Amino acid sequence: MSDTDQINRMQTLFAAQKAAFEAERHRSYRDRLRDIDAIAALTKKHAEAIKDAAAADFGVRSRCETQLTEIAYMATAAKHTRRHLWSWMQRKRVAIPGNLKPGTAYIRREPKGVAGIISPWNYPFQLAFSPILAALAAGCRVMLKPSEFTPNMSALMASMLAEEFNEDHVAVFPGGPSVGEAFTKIPFDHLLYTGSTHVGRLVAKAAAENLTPVTLELGGKSPVIIADDFPAEKAGETLAFGKYMNAGQTCIAPDYALTPKGKARAVAESTIARVEKAYPDWASDEDYTAVVSDKHFERLNAMIEEARSAGAEVLQAKGGTPGNARKIAPTVVLNPPDDSRLMQEEIFGPILPVLEHDGLEDAMRRVNAKDRPLALYVYSKSKKTARRVLEGTISGGAVVNNTMLHYSVEDLPFGGVGASGYGAYHGEAGFETFTHARGVFEAPVWHPSRLIQPPYGKLFELATKK
Ligand code: NAD
């Protein structure tokens, strides 16, 4: 379908979803459970097809990583949502001031209406289905615009969802930036965007025209701060896990590491040693993922070359030479200059700069001098030190002594701050994102508030006296 046809279809289906929402403003608990179960069942039924589609889109995409990060993740998220939906849907009573008594006040969580979701390519299934799950649990209708870089997954998601949902409930609009741009002009009741900070700004601007509330799940340079008391070997183990999963194409991958003076080499070498164990022959290993496109492949290679020519030492895992697959050796760069692309841009690939700090204050100052990151990782045996770093920095989320694990805790809101985005989802935070908190005050038929109405007199003075 051409982009123009896709844009026309978008407008027709938005009107259809709006009408369907108006006809069923409060989707029942039972029907929402059905929707959640449908998402879980589709994920299970098409697990192999999801792995095939990811592999076709990336060239090489570890099937185990697709199982872990896309399929198993969604199964857990659906289970969590199913278990808690009833309590999330209950109205929450709040206290009222004495001079408003008698009466009751409570918050009703009401579906916002038609939700728009724009998803990226790096975890193309999960980053589309997880917000869809949240929007359906909230009782919304959903329109999805997936990434043009993963066309196989977009086609699969469209056909999967069509098995269980009419298009006036959930609809998919594959296409590139022009489809994305048209999508952001639709007056959605909520828009959740996951992707780069640059496009995030455009999305927020377009949505502002319609006063559409937006959740921006963006990226950035997520740092690792390593304290003096933390063993280099342990650091290398968790850095290798966080950095080379999906070949570093993860929004919360550790972007760069700041180690104590004199420890950078030990951390770098232990990271490489660990990754060589994980992928003994990364070039041919089906569990070491390729870079998604030629453009990204060239960008990452240029970053390594720039650091090398600036005199930085480049360490790469042994393991053969890649053939046609867009694979980049797991790489660590020791002390790249501050003005290099590696230290200025979000890397989003399998390259880890390791630098040295002059103590924790210096590390925090350097982190705070950059945009607020999506995640921050602090490594220390001392809880006090970890707390000091958490207090001295700001980030969307954080993990102590490891990387990325906070993502899988459904009860933690997931989102950025500053340039890494605003708003959050996962678990109840996702339910809250796609619902409106309607504050209701229920007064009895006779209520003393009539005392504060004109004509003002003695009773008024008594009622408002402080
Ligand atoms: P991207 O911004 O290039 O694309 C994301 C989506 O936006 C795609 O669907 C794309 O078609 C669409 N798009 C492009 N131009 C648009 C426009 N003008 N208007 C509307 N939509 C448009 O991002 P990407 O390269 O796919 O993803 C990588 C970035 O996403 C990284 O910065 C990464 O950190 C971030 N990310 C964040 C999270 C998170 O949860 N916070 C998760 C994954 C990725």
Side-chain angles (χ1 to χ4, degrees):
M1 196 183 281
S2 74
D3 280 7
T4 319
D5 290 344
Q6 202 61 273
I7 292 165
N8 291 336
R9 182 175 155 256
M10 203 182 278
Q11 274 145 5
T12 312
L13 280 175
F14 177 70
Q17 291 212 354
K18 260 295 204 216
F21 179 74
E22 292 305 325
E24 191 196 24
R25 283 226 185 132
H26 188 83
R27 194 162 173 79
S28 70
Y29 171 63
R30 214 168 265 284
D31 286 340
R32 294 190 209 187
L33 281 189
R34 187 217 76 95
D35 299 341
I36 295 165
D37 289 345
I39 291 291
L42 285 171
T43 306
K44 192 168 176 191
K45 177 175 167 197
H46 295 282
E48 289 311 306
I50 293 166
K51 290 177 202 169
D52 292 342
D57 285 330
F58 278 79
V60 179
R61 189 2 144 78
S62 162
R63 295 180 82 81
C64 295
E65 286 177 8
T66 303
Q67 172 65 32
L68 173 73
T69 61
E70 315 245 28
I71 297 161
Y73 173 84
M74 275 312 299
T76 308
K79 203 167 156 195
H80 180 91
T81 303
R82 190 176 215 294
R83 183 177 311 138
H84 296 284
L85 182 64
W86 175 255
S87 83
W88 296 344
M89 286 176 69
Q90 299 314 298
R91 66 187 202 185
K92 307 244 175 346
R93 283 281 289 268
V94 298
I96 58 172
N99 59 2
L100 280 186
K101 284 180 182 166
T104 38
Y106 53 89
I107 300 161
R108 281 172 56 91
R109 281 274 163 196
E110 299 184 342
K112 283 188 178 169
V114 181
I117 291 164
I118 303 179
S119 57
W121 51 264
N122 61 327
Y123 291 91
F125 178 73
Q126 190 247 109
L127 291 172
F129 264 53
S130 170
I132 290 178
L133 173 75
L136 292 174
C140 290
R141 311 257 149 186
V142 190
M143 290 171 59
L144 169 73
K145 205 310 268 164
S147 172
E148 66 278 19
F149 282 105
T150 42
N152 291 291
M153 189 67 84
S154 301
L156 175 66
M157 292 192 296
S159 74
M160 280 169 71
L161 289 163
E163 280 179 30
E164 286 288 346
F165 298 94
N166 292 330
E167 284 199 314
D168 66 1
H169 196 180
V170 181
V172 182
F173 304 89
S178 64
V179 174
E181 217 178 306
F183 196 79
T184 56
K185 291 189 178 137
I186 292 181
F188 288 114
D189 299 296
H190 193 92
L191 184 56
L192 185 146
Y193 166 82
T194 305
S196 61
T197 300
H198 165 69
V199 174
R201 271 183 228 281
L202 303 176
V203 169
K205 266 191 203 159
E209 279 295 318
N210 297 312
L211 295 180
T212 292
V214 183
T215 302
L216 292 182
E217 297 283 345
L218 311 178
K221 292 184 80 61
S222 299
V224 184
I225 298 180
I226 303 175
D228 212 12
D229 63 355
F230 201 81
E233 197 181 311
K234 265 266 153 251
E237 187 184 308
T238 51
L239 286 171
F241 162 73
K243 189 64 174 192
Y244 305 109
M245 169 185 279
N246 207 30
Q249 300 164 106
T250 306
C251 56
I252 48 169
D255 188 271
Y256 64 101
L258 293 170
T259 70
K261 270 253 169 317
K263 283 214 172 158
R265 179 168 299 278
V267 169
E269 284 174 356
S270 79
T271 305
I272 291 288
R274 174 68 197 123
V275 80
E276 282 175 348
K277 261 199 197 144
Y279 315 109
D281 184 1
W282 58 266
S284 62
D285 196 329
E286 292 288 314
D287 272 334
Y288 185 63
T289 297
V291 171
V292 75
S293 72
D294 290 342
K295 193 177 115 202
H296 290 82
F297 184 70
E298 280 152 25
R299 185 182 70 89
L300 291 164
N301 279 315
M303 281 172 141
I304 297 175
E305 281 323 307
E306 187 206 37
R308 210 194 300 266
S309 0
E313 190 179 341
V314 176
L315 280 68
Q316 292 191 309
K318 294 194 279 300
T321 29
N324 287 332
R326 291 174 300 266
K327 282 198 173 182
I328 293 183
T331 302
V332 174
V333 179
L334 273 171
N335 298 310
D338 261 355
D339 61 357
S340 61
R341 289 178 73 187
L342 278 179
M343 290 311 294
Q344 292 296 323
E345 298 172 20
E346 178 182 5
I347 297 171
F348 222 56
I351 313 165
L352 178 72
V354 177
L355 303 100
E356 295 186 343
H357 60 70
D358 268 329
L360 290 180
E361 292 308 320
D362 174 54
M364 289 191 277
R365 185 189 51 74
R366 283 155 72 174
V367 165
N368 291 335
K370 293 188 183 293
D371 283 338
R372 289 176 180 171
L374 183 58
L376 178 141
Y377 306 116
V378 48
Y379 290 10
S380 172
K381 284 182 176 167
S382 148
K383 283 194 181 339
K384 204 168 143 201
T385 303
R387 204 165 46 236
R388 193 170 126 219
V389 172
L390 291 177
E391 280 168 7
T393 54
I394 297 178
S395 65
V399 179
V400 176
N401 296 339
N402 216 310
T403 63
M404 307 207 295
L405 300 180
H406 63 308
Y407 192 87
S408 300
V409 182
E410 280 296 295
D411 277 327
L412 290 178
F414 181 79
V417 57
S420 56
Y422 48 75
Y425 73 122
H426 285 192
E428 189 168 14
F431 178 83
E432 287 178 355
T433 288
F434 291 104
T435 50
H436 166 62
R438 192 177 194 185
V440 181
F441 181 78
E442 267 185 27
V445 177
W446 190 94
H447 190 259
S449 57
R450 63 182 280 196
L451 302 181
I452 53 167
Q453 293 167 14
Y456 302 121
K458 280 240 166 333
L459 281 173
F460 172 82
E461 271 171 36
L462 216 64
T464 59
K465 201 167 170 191
K466 290 284 169 210

